Amino acid sequence: MKKINFLLLGITFSFALQAQQPFVPNYDESKVPAYQLPDPLRNADGTLVSDKAGWVERRAELYTLLANEEFGNIPQWKGTLTFKEVSTRKIFDNKALRREVQLTLSDNGKSILFNLLIFQPVSSKPVPFFLGYNFDGNYTIVSDKDISLPVGWVANDKKFGIADNRAVEAARGSDVSSWPVQEIVARGYGVVTLYYGDCDPDFDDGFQNGVHALYPEPRNNQSWGSIAAWAWGLSRVIDYIQLDHAFSSSQIIVIGHSRLGKAALWAGAADERIAMVVSNNSGCGGAALSKRAYGETVGRINRAFPHWFCDNFKRYSENEVSLPFDQHELLALIAPRPLYVASAEEDRWADPKGEFLSCVAASPVYRILGLPGLPVTEMPLLNHPVMGTIGYHIRPGGHSITLYDWMRYIDFANIHFKR
Ligand code: GTR
């Protein structure tokens, strides 16, 4: 803050110029502050968890802590879900089906629509599947001409001439590289995806639209933000999938990249029907430890995306030292279920090392449940995945989800799912 003094008519005036300083991320390991991680196995009353039964109680306590202080509380769903098949087509030499299904979710006299795009290998028995949001609409993840554009808000994108938050034809197929559906289906896995804006458009609208509009009750510091809303949406898709016999409801893998990786992790914590969670480059507020304050920080994320977390989380902006939890405890909430965290070498903003250390620090919870957690404590080399009950890899390249990432997730699922 800059202070300006000046003299006018013999009176000294003093005022502060509160220029908004640009955020400069720390990428220097030697400047990471000294920090101590809370022990996920230590109860709030100071006692230590020593067995599975103890973990069940501790888990509930930790979940409440993260709901109240970070993501906000997800209201109980008492609404109704109806669905209609919009289209079905044989694809990939008749080896798979591509379906579109529209869900209508209604509560408190209001409704929202989820447009699912589904790829399923033709199989005589129910298949495991990946469930995850896409960033820009179903029409961007495949080139198929008949997939319709989202009708609501989408992010502006100069590359495609999107300046008024409306989807355009030019973006069709623009994100196919993030969704190698043919390769996934060839390995016997299904894919269920939907546009995340169907659930909650990603801008700070005072929680007037998307799913928050179904719950008009007054908000408080612990009310849910958009990440919790996206997690809620994944649970509603699971409600539907359980009615769909093509899919194995005990082999549901929730996956997300970046902000949607944060949502996948919180969904995994909130909904134990999810059998495995994949966090791809989820970074700050996702898998990465906040107390390292490396790359994106709590203050930066709260300023740039004030609608993502609950208001209580803002108390830790520029004050990570006071956080009563850290992100390894979010990972621990997935235990005993398999969890895969992946980083990218150039994605320093998401703090790859902080993501790795978070997996290490979540592992004692897996071990108390008789499972290995992450089997290493030293960060592996590039393209050297490690797979215990927690899996981790770091690959060369930047912030994205690639074929290499997807294939490792399938390798990992093959280890954990009896097939
Ligand atoms: C960035 C944000 C990250 C990450 C990313 C994304 O702008 O700072 O936390 O979520 O967006 O979702 O692509």
Side-chain angles (χ1 to χ4, degrees):
M1 199 187 299
K2 210 168 166 186
K3 212 152 185 221
I4 310 268
N5 295 309
F6 66 95
L7 197 68
L8 179 70
L9 301 172
I11 306 165
T12 305
F13 290 83
S14 171
F15 64 93
L17 264 192
Q18 191 135 25
Q20 199 42 269
Q21 298 291 331
F23 174 73
V24 183
N26 173 42
Y27 291 134
D28 180 347
E29 225 20 83
S30 72
K31 297 208 173 97
V32 167
Y35 64 91
Q36 212 184 346
L37 291 181
D39 180 349
L41 292 171
R42 188 171 293 282
N43 294 302
D45 67 5
T47 56
L48 273 177
V49 171
S50 57
D51 57 14
K52 287 185 193 178
W55 171 248
V56 172
E57 280 177 39
R58 170 62 179 150
R59 187 185 184 280
E61 185 176 75
L62 254 185
Y63 178 81
T64 305
L65 180 67
L66 267 74
N68 290 343
E69 299 297 312
E70 186 171 23
F71 296 103
N73 287 277
I74 300 177
Q76 221 197 330
W77 167 241
K78 297 200 192 86
T80 57
L81 182 159
T82 56
F83 62 91
K84 67 172 185 212
E85 292 275 345
V86 176
S87 74
T88 307
R89 228 175 80 173
K90 288 186 177 151
I91 52 167
F92 309 150
D93 289 332
N94 297 337
K95 291 199 181 77
L97 290 181
R98 191 210 72 191
R99 293 162 55 205
E100 290 173 285
V101 176
Q102 186 176 69
L103 311 187
T104 304
L105 299 157
S106 311
D107 206 353
N108 291 317
K110 292 198 175 133
S111 297
I112 54 171
L113 301 178
F114 280 8
N115 295 292
L116 308 185
L117 181 60
I118 299 177
F119 301 87
Q120 62 191 62
V122 171
S123 163
S124 54
K125 42 181 204 177
V127 294
F129 68 100
F130 290 90
L131 163 61
Y133 288 111
N134 58 71
F135 273 86
D136 301 295
N138 295 343
Y139 82 117
T140 64
I141 74 141
V142 282
S143 308
D144 306 15
K145 296 278 176 284
D146 55 336
I147 307 281
S148 48
L149 280 57
V151 290
W153 181 96
V154 296
N156 284 338
D157 191 336
K158 280 199 197 107
K159 205 162 44 187
F160 304 110
I162 305 177
D164 59 354
N165 301 114
R166 293 286 158 249
V168 296
E169 187 55 40
R172 184 175 297 283
S174 55
D175 201 21
V176 287
S177 68
S178 301
W179 296 88
V181 280
Q182 189 157 3
E183 289 85 349
I184 298 167
V185 162
R187 292 191 67 181
Y189 285 75
V191 173
V192 179
T193 183
L194 69 160
Y195 169 49
Y196 80 135
D198 280 1
C199 179
D200 191 29
D202 193 1
F203 65 98
D204 185 16
D205 68 334
F207 302 104
Q208 297 304 306
N209 62 20
V211 60
H212 293 108
L214 304 190
Y215 296 95
E217 58 263 14
R219 294 180 57 84
N220 60 38
N221 288 344
Q222 302 176 345
S223 294
W224 56 339
S226 291
I227 292 175
W230 298 322
W232 173 94
L234 294 171
S235 290
R236 301 293 71 78
V237 178
I238 292 171
D239 295 345
Y240 161 72
I241 287 291
Q242 290 193 314
L243 310 171
D244 189 318
H245 301 299
F247 294 107
S248 163
S249 54
S250 60
Q251 297 180 324
I252 303 173
I253 308 166
V254 162
I255 186 167
H257 168 60
S258 204
R259 69 197 68 185
L260 300 176
K262 308 181 213 294
L265 288 167
W266 190 234
D271 191 335
E272 294 184 73
R273 294 173 300 176
I274 295 167
M276 169 177 151
V277 178
V278 178
S279 148
N280 191 87
N281 307 178
S282 63
C284 181
L289 295 174
S290 299
K291 288 179 190 282
R292 279 170 48 81
Y294 182 102
E296 186 173 31
T297 61
V298 172
R300 171 57 170 69
I301 205 167
N302 278 328
R303 272 194 303 282
F305 307 101
H307 56 294
W308 280 5
F309 300 92
C310 71
D311 282 347
N312 270 348
F313 196 48
K314 301 190 171 82
R315 296 191 289 159
Y316 307 107
S317 293
E318 279 81 45
N319 191 16
E320 287 88 355
V321 69
S322 69
L323 273 165
F325 60 88
D326 210 326
Q327 298 307 110
H328 63 304
E329 293 177 303
L330 168 63
L331 303 188
L333 290 173
I334 312 296
R337 295 160 292 161
L339 161 71
Y340 202 112
V341 171
S343 312
E345 186 185 22
E346 290 162 25
D347 187 18
R348 295 185 305 163
W349 182 245
D351 187 12
K353 186 169 174 191
E355 296 192 314
F356 171 76
L357 292 175
S358 189
C359 295
V360 173
S363 291
V365 172
Y366 280 84
R367 287 199 288 272
I368 218 150
L369 302 174
L371 298 162
L374 189 72
V376 298
T377 50
E378 290 290 318
M379 194 139 167
L381 300 174
L382 296 177
N383 290 346
H384 279 68
V386 285
M387 299 188 192
T389 328
I390 302 181
Y392 178 84
H393 73 243
I394 175 164
R395 57 151 176 82
H399 188 68
S400 63
I401 180 165
T402 66
L403 178 62
Y404 175 85
D405 297 320
W406 278 101
M407 292 301 111
R408 299 302 74 75
Y409 304 148
I410 291 176
D411 296 344
F412 184 68
N414 281 343
I415 294 172
H416 291 284
F417 291 166
K418 289 189 190 61
R419 305 194 56 212

